[in-house]
Amino acid sequence: PMTTIRNLSLQVGITERSVQRILSELEEAGVVGRSKEGRCNRYDVNLKFRLRHPLESDKTIGELLGSLN
């Protein structure tokens, strides 16, 4: 939960700029929210956000993440 854009880009294997673009798109869609903590941004996942695919549209991101445990 407390990683940087740089570390995230290295873990996923994409550029930092790509991570920033994806986070921006997710924020625009309401999937994540952003708040400032000092000079850093903190991103929180909206666990109540409904999945977009028609077969899973009755499920939320929270339910998806809960099933990964």
Side-chain angles (χ1 to χ4, degrees):
M2 299 299 292
T3 189
T4 64
I5 287 179
R6 173 179 285 244
N7 287 340
L8 189 56
S9 70
L10 291 171
Q11 289 175 348
V12 177
I14 60 177
T15 65
E16 289 180 49
R17 184 70 186 127
S18 292
V19 172
Q20 290 171 335
R21 180 182 47 78
I22 292 167
L23 282 171
S24 178
E25 290 172 1
L26 290 172
E27 183 180 8
E28 217 172 276
V31 178
V32 298
R34 177 177 47 146
S35 59
K36 281 293 226 186
E37 287 190 0
R39 296 183 337 182
C40 300
N41 291 326
R42 176 184 171 90
Y43 294 91
D44 295 300
V45 177
N46 177 359
L47 298 176
K48 295 180 181 178
F49 190 85
R50 294 235 168 253
L51 300 177
R52 297 185 307 179
H53 192 280
L55 294 176
E56 288 90 20
S57 61
D58 62 327
K59 303 291 185 215
T60 65
I61 289 179
E63 291 170 316
L64 174 66
L65 293 175
S67 70
L68 297 176
N69 286 335

